[in-house]
Amino acid sequence: MTAEHKVERKLFDEVMVPCYAPMNMIPDRGKGARIWDQDDREYIDFAGGIAVSCLGHCHPVMVDALKAQAEKLWHLSNVMTNAPALRLAKKLTEVSFADRVFFANSGAEANEAALKLARRWAVDVHGPEKSEIIAFTQGFHGRTFFTVTVGGQAAYSDGFGPKPGNVTHLPYNDLDALAAAMSDKTCAIMMEPLQGEGGIVTPDPAFVQGVRELCDKHNALLIFDEVQTGNGRTGTFYAYEQTGVTPDILSTAKSLGGGIPIGAMLTTEKLAAHMKVGTHGSTYGGNPLASAVAEAVVNEVSKPEVLAGVKEREGWFREGLEALNAKYNMFSEIRGKGLLIGAALNEEWKGRARDVLLAAGEEGLLLLVAGTNVVRMTPSLVITKEEVEEGLARLDRALAKLTAA
Ligand SMILES: Cc1ncc(COP(=O)(O)O)c(C=O)c1O
């Protein structure tokens, strides 16, 4: 890398709106579960772009789909439909409960569409009084004003003036609290089937089933936010498949594109009928380039051997992390499902998830955090055994230094 090709990290502090605190390096290229920075330093990637790079970096099926579509047609807007979007929508209905698909560009936008559909349905069928949205503490649904308000972390939605109204937050996994709060004015419940940003929290199966029953009782819609859990992340194509519960609306993004921005809202024929021409829209939603890549990603990830491989890889991670914990005694629990993994710090290390992330970075391993107490891993679903072992060896070195300091 020659000096003139190198962009200095300090430029970030000079020209970017300071919403982020990125690591002190600039990645230059990636392959599989490895990334190299501008200085040619190699990192094993257990972060996967926050549950996005489900096939690793620059997987041939994505590169081929992108190249082929890039030579054909990039963009039309929704004044015309396009073949890649139609094929992708058809595939998404085949791998889920849904009959209908609306394309957006991100998780927040998919959730925004889901919430708007729920309110629209309520207004059409029951009248405007049925408008309450119930969501859960520590939930995360995106950063548009509606979705951040529905998300259960006030720190993200406070300080912007008046919020969209009629949103109630309840503790996750507390069916009694939900039963007491719900009424016929409840329009919809929005939840993650496994909370990601909130700390990798898996609800009791009875809670999820109870939520469905309460929705049926009060004629409310159940929206599953599968932006982080979807597209094979937990070992089934969608996490809801493991709950015995089917939502009315599902949002998906992140791994849907494997790295190209795309999101989608999935729903039933009956609910979709409440959206008419012009009710909602997006310039880029379902654009041919993003749809072509997502189609290739979904075709690959939905293969039974890829989904079975997620469970196998979960075993490699759990075994390796438990062994590290036996050595360093830092975690109270290794939790999550499939390749959505959280290592919760014990009392002694409480609040130091970022220290673990930074120490790992020094050793050439990319991790994530979920809050301040959980070290999160959302690697490629096809990460190799050698990459996992190398990453865990680097984590071993990082924890050795951290615990010795
Ligand atoms: C469960 C969940 N929903 C929604 C979002 C927002 O997605 P995006 O950042 O693509 O808008 C996220 C992002 O972390 C998420 O984890």
Side-chain angles (χ1 to χ4, degrees), residues 1-342:
M1 181 79 44
T2 58
E4 58 270 28
H5 285 132
K6 210 167 143 174
V7 178
E8 297 293 337
R9 162 66 178 74
K10 71 175 165 47
L11 197 54
F12 180 92
D13 305 320
E14 293 164 12
V15 297
M16 302 293 245
V17 175
C19 289
Y20 306 108
M23 292 170 71
N24 198 21
M25 57 91 163
I26 299 184
D28 180 55
R29 61 192 196 281
K31 189 78 198 148
R34 288 174 201 267
I35 279 177
W36 290 266
D37 71 12
Q38 295 189 126
D39 298 321
D40 231 13
R41 188 157 181 243
E42 183 213 79
Y43 297 80
I44 298 279
D45 186 7
F46 282 1
I50 319 189
V52 167
S53 308
C54 56
L55 295 176
H57 299 281
C58 302
H59 191 288
V61 304
M62 300 195 301
V63 174
D64 289 350
L66 184 67
K67 279 187 180 162
Q69 192 59 41
E71 301 279 354
K72 273 176 98 176
L73 187 65
W74 287 37
H75 181 71
L76 296 162
S77 188
N78 289 296
V79 291
M80 282 165 266
T81 190
N82 69 80
L86 293 172
R87 288 196 304 262
L88 174 61
K90 178 88 181 111
K91 179 76 185 174
L92 291 176
T93 62
E94 285 164 6
V95 296
S96 73
F97 70 94
D99 316 304
R100 297 277 176 163
V101 178
F102 174 86
F103 285 118
N105 309 289
S106 67
E109 286 182 40
N111 282 330
E112 188 81 20
L115 291 163
K116 282 182 73 178
L117 170 59
R119 284 267 180 91
R120 188 79 183 188
W121 160 81
V123 168
D124 274 0
V125 178
H126 302 276
E129 287 289 289
K130 193 175 177 66
S131 62
E132 184 192 34
I133 305 290
I134 296 185
F136 297 100
T137 322
Q138 296 301 113
F140 188 82
H141 303 297
R143 300 287 198 148
T144 63
F145 213 177
F146 200 177
T147 60
V148 84
T149 302
V150 173
Q153 301 187 50
Y156 294 155
S157 55
D158 283 351
F160 295 100
K163 298 178 191 180
N166 244 344
V167 178
T168 304
H169 292 103
L170 298 172
Y172 195 56
N173 226 0
D174 185 341
L175 201 55
D176 292 341
L178 184 64
M182 265 184 103
S183 74
D184 290 346
K185 295 211 171 127
T186 307
C187 161
I189 294 190
M190 177 173 259
M191 64 181 281
E192 295 157 86
L194 186 166
Q195 283 190 338
E197 301 295 316
I200 315 294
V201 183
T202 310
D204 296 333
F207 173 71
V208 184
Q209 280 149 22
V211 173
R212 176 73 269 179
E213 282 161 23
L214 286 168
C215 283
D216 294 343
K217 180 175 166 199
H218 292 287
N219 223 339
L221 300 179
L222 178 56
I223 306 170
F224 271 3
D225 177 343
E226 292 236 27
V227 168
Q228 191 151 165
T229 54
N231 298 285
R233 179 64 43 195
T234 69
T236 45
F237 195 78
Y238 291 115
Y240 82 82
E241 297 166 48
Q242 297 173 54
T243 66
V245 162
T246 303
D248 302 296
I249 305 174
L250 180 149
S251 56
T252 172
K254 287 190 182 277
S255 287
L256 173 60
I260 202 151
I262 184 166
M265 176 198 69
L266 278 52
T267 191
T268 59
E269 179 79 42
K270 209 167 154 194
L271 285 173
H274 293 281
M275 300 303 252
K276 306 275 185 268
V277 173
T279 319
H280 193 50
S282 162
T283 298
Y284 276 115
N287 113 326
L289 203 58
S291 299
V293 177
E295 184 195 3
V297 170
V298 172
N299 284 339
E300 189 65 24
V301 170
S302 59
K303 287 179 180 165
E305 63 271 26
V306 174
L307 295 172
V310 172
K311 287 281 171 205
E312 187 186 12
R313 283 159 178 77
E314 177 184 4
W316 302 342
F317 272 92
R318 281 188 179 273
E319 203 180 303
L321 291 167
E322 294 292 359
L324 289 179
N325 204 27
K327 203 163 160 187
Y328 299 108
N329 187 26
M330 290 179 81
F331 308 123
S332 57
E333 194 187 3
I334 308 299
R335 62 197 195 208
K337 234 181 229 170
L339 291 173
L340 182 50
I341 300 167

